[in-house]
Amino acid sequence: MRTSDPELGSSEESARKDGGASAKSAELTLEQIQNFEGKYPKQLWYLFTVEMWERFCFYGMRGILTIFMVDRLFLHEKEANLKYGAIQAFVYAFTFLGGIFADKILGFKKSLTFGAFMMILGNALIAVSPDHFFYIGITLSVIGTGFFKPNISSMVGYLYKDGDSRKEAGFSLFYAGINVGALLGGAVCVWLGKNHSWSLAFLAAAIVMFLGLVTFTLTKKHLGPIGDSPLKEALPKVRLKKEVFVYIIALLTIPLIYIMIQNTDYTDYFMYTIGPLALIYFFYQFMKVSTKADRKKLTAALILILLSIVFFALFEQAGGSLALFAKNNLHDKLLFFHIDPNIVNNGANAFFVIAFAPLLGLVWVWLDKRRLEPNTVVKFGISFILLAVSYYILFSTRLFANENGITSLNVFTGAYFVMTIAELCLSPIGLSMITSLSPKHLSGMMMGLWFLASAYGQYLAGLIGAGISNPNENATLLEKLDSYTSGYGQLALYAVIVGVLVLIFSPIVRKLMQEVK
C-alpha cells in the first residue's frame, strides 16, 4: 500500500486551495461589472437579447388573444375584452409576487429561469390544442411572466452604480429590446394565426421563449453576483426547502387563476384584494426604512406608480378594443401597399419605439445641455397630453369612413405614432426611476409594484374596452365605428384632465425625489 507523503499532501492541499481561490477570484464582482467603459455594459446586451425573445413570446400571444377568443372560441366582443383585461391584469399582478419571491428567496436568476420554463410550457400546451388547452396554457403563461418580467428589469438596474448618468440610456436600450421582440412577435403571431393556424402562432411563442431561456443559461455567468439568491449563505437544506415552498405556492395558484380567467366576475374580487394587500406590504416595508430621505424617495416612487395606473388604463387598448377596431373597421391600405390592419395594430407601437426612442433620447440630451430638459414628473404630464392627442386622432377616423363603416388605416397609424411618443415620455423613464428611488433591498418589490400598477391599468383598460364595445351582436360596422370612436373621444378628455393636474402638482413630487432627476 502506498503511504502518503506529508509534504506532498500539504502541497496538494495548498494547490487545491490556490485553485479554488483562483476560480473564486475569476468570478466577476459587482464593482467590476459597474466599472465598465463606454456607454453600455456588455451584460446589458445579453439581457437585451433574453428580454427580446421573451417579449416576442408575450406580445405575440397578446396580439392574438382577443381575435382568437372572438374568431375561434366565438366569444362576444365585450366578453373577449373583459377576458383580455383579466389575463393581462393577472400577468402584471403576478409580477408583484414574483418580485417579492426573488427578493427574499429565489434571487433573480432562478426566478427568471422558472418563469421562462412556465411560459414555454403554457404556450406549447395551447399549440397542441387551442380549443381544449387555451385557459390552462394562458394560466401557466401568466405565472411564468410574473416570475420573469420584474426580475430581468431589476438586473438591468444593478449593472449601474447609484447616480450613474448612463443608467437612463441603458434602460432606453433595454426598452428598445422589448420592442424589437414586440414588433417581431406581433407581426409573426398575427400572420400565423390569421393566415395559417392558431397552433402555429402559439408554437412560435413557445419556441422563441425557449431560445430566450437558452440564451440566459449560457450568459448568466457574466452577471457575477447579480441575481444570486439572497439565501446563498444559508444552509443548503434550508435554502432548498424555501425554494421548493415558492414553487409549490406558484403551482397552487394555477386553479385559482384558471377559474378567475374563465369567470371575470372573480377577477373583480381578486383586483379588489391584491391592490390593498400590496399597499399594506409596501407601507410595512416603508416603516422599516431607517432614513427620512429614503422614505421621501419611496413616497415619490409610489406617486409615479399610481400615475402609471391611470396612464396604462387609458393607453392599453391595443390588445382589446383597438384589435377589434382594426379587425372590423379599417382598410388594408397603408401608404402605397396593402397590409393586414391587425399586424399594424400589433406592430406599429413597437416599430415607432425602435425608430424614435433614440431620437427622443437625443432631444432630452440636447435640452439637458441647455438646462431645459423637463424633469421626470413633467415628462409624465406631457405623456398624458400626447396620449389625449392620439385618442383625438382615433376619434377623427369617423370623418374618413365610407358608408360601410370602413375607415383609414393611415390615420389609425398616425394615432399610434403620437401614442408611442406619449409612452416614451413615461414607461422607460419610469423603469429607471423606480430602480433609482428604491433602496437596493426593496428593488424587486418596487419593480413588482410598478408592474402591479400595470396590472390595474390592464384590468381597467379591459373594462374600458368592454364599455365602448357595442353590446348589440348584430350591430353594423358603422354602428361599431360610432361606438368605438365615441369611446376614444372620452379617453382623450380624461387624459387631458390628468395631464394638466400632473403638471400643476409636479414641483411637489419633484421635491420628494431629492437628488434623483
Side-chain angles (χ1 to χ4, degrees):
M1 180 182 290
R2 183 180 173 185
T3 58
S4 61
D5 185 338
E7 286 189 13
L8 180 61
S10 176
S11 63
E12 285 179 344
E13 184 178 353
S14 176
R16 281 196 300 271
K17 287 181 178 178
D18 289 343
S22 299
K24 200 166 184 178
S25 64
E27 293 179 4
L28 280 172
T29 65
L30 187 61
E31 186 177 2
Q32 287 173 325
I33 293 171
Q34 293 177 340
N35 287 335
F36 63 91
E37 295 181 359
K39 196 170 185 180
Y40 305 108
K42 69 176 184 178
Q43 290 83 359
L44 182 63
W45 295 102
Y46 303 142
L47 295 177
F48 171 103
T49 305
V50 175
E51 179 71 347
M52 179 183 71
W53 291 127
E54 188 271 339
R55 291 292 90 180
F56 182 114
C57 174
F58 176 79
Y59 279 98
M61 178 195 71
R62 189 194 79 157
I64 59 177
L65 278 180
T66 311
I67 310 169
F68 172 83
M69 287 187 283
V70 170
D71 286 357
R72 182 67 177 258
L73 301 184
F74 305 110
L75 301 183
H76 184 268
E77 290 184 5
K78 181 176 181 178
E79 186 179 1
N81 267 296
L82 288 173
K83 286 189 183 297
Y84 167 79
I87 291 166
Q88 292 296 99
F90 287 127
V91 163
Y92 285 98
F94 224 89
T95 59
F96 180 69
L97 296 176
I100 293 174
F101 284 141
D103 271 344
K104 303 299 182 184
I105 300 174
L106 293 181
F108 300 142
K109 290 174 181 173
K110 288 183 179 179
S111 182
L112 188 150
T113 301
F114 176 67
F117 174 75
M118 294 292 281
M119 292 173 74
I120 294 166
L121 181 60
N123 281 284
L125 276 175
I126 302 176
V128 170
S129 178
D131 294 319
H132 296 98
F133 295 145
F134 175 71
Y135 289 108
I136 185 64
I138 286 296
T139 298
L140 296 179
S141 294
V142 164
I143 295 170
T145 306
F147 275 89
F148 188 103
K149 182 61 183 164
N151 300 309
I152 193 165
S153 301
S154 296
M155 284 193 281
V156 172
Y158 275 101
L159 299 177
Y160 297 87
K161 290 181 179 179
D162 291 338
D164 192 328
S165 60
R166 298 170 292 182
K167 186 175 186 179
E168 192 165 307
F171 268 99
S172 293
L173 178 65
F174 181 70
Y175 203 68
I178 292 174
N179 285 279
V180 169
L183 177 62
L184 295 173
V188 171
C189 290
V190 167
W191 177 72
L192 286 173
K194 293 184 72 173
N195 297 292
H196 294 279
S197 78
W198 295 110
S199 289
L200 283 177
F202 287 103
L203 179 62
I207 289 172
V208 295
M209 193 63 249
F210 177 74
L211 291 176
L213 179 57
V214 171
T215 302
F216 181 72
T217 303
L218 295 176
T219 61
K220 65 182 180 180
K221 62 184 178 184
H222 297 290
L223 292 168
I226 296 175
D228 286 345
S229 170
L231 304 178
K232 193 174 181 180
E233 304 302 323
L235 293 172
K237 286 185 178 180
V238 173
R239 185 172 68 247
L240 181 61
K241 283 182 181 178
K242 291 187 176 182
E243 288 176 358
V244 170
F245 170 77
V246 170
Y247 299 138
I248 290 173
I249 291 293
L251 295 177
L252 288 176
T253 62
I254 290 175
L256 179 67
I257 297 174
Y258 180 88
I259 292 170
M260 287 191 289
I261 289 174
Q262 283 201 315
N263 188 335
T264 53
D265 289 339
Y266 294 131
T267 306
D268 297 338
Y269 301 133
F270 175 80
M271 297 306 290
Y272 297 153
T273 304
I274 189 67
L277 289 177
L279 285 176
I280 290 170
Y281 185 77
F282 167 82
F283 284 114
Y284 168 72
Q285 294 293 344
F286 179 87
M287 297 306 297
K288 291 169 67 178
V289 173
S290 57
T291 67
K292 189 175 181 181
D294 281 344
R295 288 188 178 187
K296 285 184 176 180
K297 290 179 186 177
L298 280 173
T299 302
L302 181 61
I303 292 171
L304 295 180
I305 286 169
L306 294 175
L307 284 175
S308 74
I309 294 177
V310 181
F311 180 85
F312 288 117
L314 300 174
F315 174 82
E316 285 289 354
Q317 291 297 311
S321 70
L322 285 173
L324 296 172
F325 183 71
K327 174 178 175 288
N328 295 323
N329 293 101
L330 292 180
H331 289 294
D332 67 350
K333 187 175 181 181
L334 180 63
L335 297 178
F336 308 109
F337 56 93
H338 294 272
I339 186 172
D340 187 326
N342 280 113
I343 290 180
V344 175
N345 176 65
N346 211 32
N349 176 244
F351 173 79
F352 287 133
V353 167
I354 296 165
F356 291 98
L359 293 177
L360 188 60
L362 291 175
V363 170
W364 297 140
V365 171
W366 184 83
L367 290 172
D368 181 52
K369 287 180 179 178
R370 289 154 181 79
R371 297 188 177 182
L372 296 173
E373 183 185 8
N375 63 58
T376 297
V377 191
V378 172
K379 288 177 182 177
F380 271 48
I382 292 171
S383 70
F384 279 100
I385 301 298
L386 290 173
L387 186 61
V389 173
S390 71
Y391 276 119
Y392 277 126
I393 295 173
L394 285 170
F395 174 77
S396 75
T397 56
R398 60 168 57 191
L399 304 176
F400 301 89
N402 62 21
E403 66 278 4
N404 297 318
I406 306 299
T407 189
S408 171
L409 181 56
N410 289 319
V411 177
F412 180 86
T413 307
Y416 256 117
F417 167 71
V418 180
M419 192 179 290
T420 299
I421 302 301
E423 181 191 9
L424 288 172
C425 289
L426 183 141
S427 198
I429 295 169
L431 284 172
S432 178
M433 281 300 99
I434 295 304
T435 58
S436 297
L437 292 168
S438 306
K440 292 296 183 185
H441 70 288
L442 296 179
S443 61
M445 180 200 76
M446 292 304 294
M447 194 61 70
L449 201 59
W450 171 265
F451 289 115
L452 181 61
S454 296
Y456 274 87
Q458 298 281 357
Y459 169 67
L460 294 172
L463 295 178
I464 291 169
I468 63 180
S469 298
N470 194 308
N472 183 3
E473 292 186 17
N474 300 316
T476 66
L477 292 182
L478 200 59
E479 289 171 334
K480 289 183 178 181
L481 174 73
D482 180 70
S483 179
Y484 277 112
T485 54
S486 295
Y488 299 142
Q490 291 178 353
L491 295 184
L493 178 61
Y494 300 151
V496 166
I497 294 171
V498 176
V500 170
L501 290 174
V502 171
L503 293 174
I504 290 172
F505 291 102
S506 62
I508 298 173
V509 183
R510 176 67 189 88
K511 191 174 180 180
L512 290 170
M513 294 169 65
Q514 299 169 86
E515 79 282 359
V516 179
K517 293 183 179 181

